Amino acid sequence: MGMTPESATAVAHPNFALSKYWGKRPGPGNFPAVPSLSVTVAGMSTRTMVRFSDELGADELVLNGVPTHGEPLRRVGLLLDRVRSLGAEKRRACVVTSNDFPTASGLASSASGFAALALGATQAARLELTLSQVSDLARRSSASAARSLFGGFVELPAGPEIPDADAELSARPLAPATHLDLRILVCVTSEEEKGTGSTLGMRTTAERSPYYGAWLDAAPRLHGALREALLARDFQRIGELAEASAMAMHASALAAGIVYFRGATLDVLAEVRALRRRGVPAYATVDAGPHVKVLVPTPDVDAARRALGAISGVLRLIEARVGEGASVVAREGACAS
Ligand code: PMV
């Protein structure tokens, strides 16, 4: 007779980086080469149930209703192995996860996905970790996921300069969701999965881009200035620096042949500049995919919606607010017997 099956369900939200993480420290561990600063969003979420059971011979993954193998299951298994190495729970787990937005298309599904998985798995395994330790665990799978454990505006420092796979590196909250009255309009330009995953995109940029050194040099300065603008609630400066960080990141990637932009991406970027010429303070950021996230003060959101929604390549608009961090929504089994 085995132990009681133990399960927990966690919900996490994507985060969009205003100052981008692009590039890893050489050597072991999954450490960012540059600091980043993000906003956690509300209105989009990943819900993940993790159940350890002695009826399972191997870890299982059900992603958006579909039993999934290959690379996604391997990455989930690596996180579960770390959880099993931290405590008494040694059984295999079944992970059932779903997103209410397109998966793996540059809409930060890996961020919310690994944040929800790290929280759900550590809870199901009855580990007593701080949120900071859960953030470190998530960071080992996907560095941007470290930021989704926290709500509001969140910072992830660069990793240690001397490689040390065991070093702890967690994100930390900088300002709460109420700090800035801001909306993010996600302009979805494709429902397909993205071409080049962020890990390969970063590696190719580091190996082949003549501008990678320039990016490593610029990113911490942009980050420091953005952090100050954020703390001063200077929306215009935040927007300018966020757009500059995204453009510098993509410039370094483009020079290595890594192209995330599509025609519609450029059309949205042009409309964002046109909005500014008409007096609407809108600013854009783009991640490792073709969508554009447009930052706009809440009073200007309707004007921005009308303009962006009229672009033929924009398939739909998701309006997101600044949101809260990850949370546990259900827990079962602890008192079952
Ligand atoms: O954490 P990853 O491996 O999914 O990389 C995220 C990279 C960007 O989304 C492009 C930038 C960022 O800071 O989130």
Side-chain angles (χ1 to χ4, degrees):
M1 206 185 80
M3 293 154 71
T4 321
E6 193 86 19
S7 78
T9 302
V11 168
H13 308 284
N15 69 76
F16 302 138
L18 304 177
S19 128
K20 298 292 183 199
Y21 149 53
W22 194 250
K24 298 179 197 287
R25 287 271 195 234
N30 186 38
F31 292 103
V34 296
S36 56
L37 195 165
S38 61
V39 52
T40 303
V41 302
M44 298 165 72
S45 53
T46 299
R47 189 186 179 91
T48 303
M49 191 281 300
V50 180
R51 189 169 73 94
F52 288 98
S53 164
D54 44 17
E55 282 158 24
L56 296 167
D59 292 325
E60 292 176 3
L61 171 66
V62 180
L63 178 59
N64 293 323
V66 182
T68 302
H69 301 273
E71 187 59 12
L73 176 60
R74 192 189 69 81
R75 290 183 71 189
V76 165
L78 285 175
L79 189 146
L80 293 169
D81 286 343
R82 287 195 192 102
V83 168
R84 285 185 283 257
S85 74
L86 292 172
E89 181 58 83
K90 304 296 179 199
R91 294 173 291 177
R92 302 294 113 182
C94 172
V95 173
V96 180
T97 185
S98 56
N99 295 323
D100 60 7
F101 57 92
T103 297
S105 59
L107 278 183
S109 59
S110 80
S112 53
F114 283 107
L117 177 65
L119 187 60
T122 52
Q123 284 285 316
R126 304 166 305 282
L127 291 174
E128 285 175 18
L129 301 186
T130 62
L131 212 47
S132 177
Q133 288 169 315
V134 180
S135 169
D136 173 70
L137 178 69
R139 192 265 310 154
R140 290 163 194 262
S141 296
S142 164
S144 61
R147 301 184 307 234
S148 274
L149 271 310
F150 302 99
F153 298 87
V154 183
E155 180 176 55
L156 177 65
E161 293 202 21
I162 317 278
D164 172 6
D166 296 329
E168 197 173 306
L169 182 76
S170 310
R172 54 188 180 221
L174 267 186
T178 51
H179 182 72
L180 207 64
D181 195 13
L182 158 89
R183 294 290 162 90
I184 302 121
L185 290 171
V186 182
C187 303
V188 177
T189 59
S190 161
E191 303 283 358
E192 288 164 31
E193 298 210 353
K194 69 183 170 191
T196 309
S198 55
T199 298
L200 180 59
M202 288 182 202
R203 198 193 319 136
T204 308
T205 305
E207 286 171 3
R208 300 204 198 137
S209 177
Y211 302 143
Y212 185 58
W215 161 250
L216 292 181
D217 189 50
R221 275 184 284 116
L222 288 166
H223 176 85
L226 206 144
R227 186 183 206 281
E228 276 186 23
L230 176 77
L231 296 176
R233 296 191 171 92
D234 183 343
F235 180 81
Q236 185 183 334
R237 187 107 181 95
I238 294 167
E240 286 169 0
L241 288 160
E243 207 169 284
S245 174
M247 293 305 137
M249 171 203 135
H250 284 279
S252 72
L254 279 163
I258 299 294
V259 184
Y260 292 108
F261 293 175
R262 294 188 182 200
T265 315
L266 297 173
D267 291 341
V268 177
L269 293 176
E271 186 54 41
V272 168
R273 290 191 297 270
L275 276 165
R276 287 205 290 269
R277 285 196 296 273
R278 300 201 297 272
V280 179
Y283 296 90
T285 187
V286 185
D287 292 297
H291 318 296
V292 184
K293 291 106 187 188
V294 179
L295 312 167
V296 64
T298 302
D300 295 299
V301 75
D302 289 336
R305 270 195 94 107
R306 275 194 299 277
L308 299 168
I311 301 170
S312 65
V314 174
L315 306 181
R316 60 201 173 92
L317 275 178
I318 303 171
E319 183 176 332
R321 294 164 189 253
V322 185
E324 299 303 325
S327 59
V328 180
V329 295
R331 216 167 172 286
E332 236 180 79
C335 311
S337 53

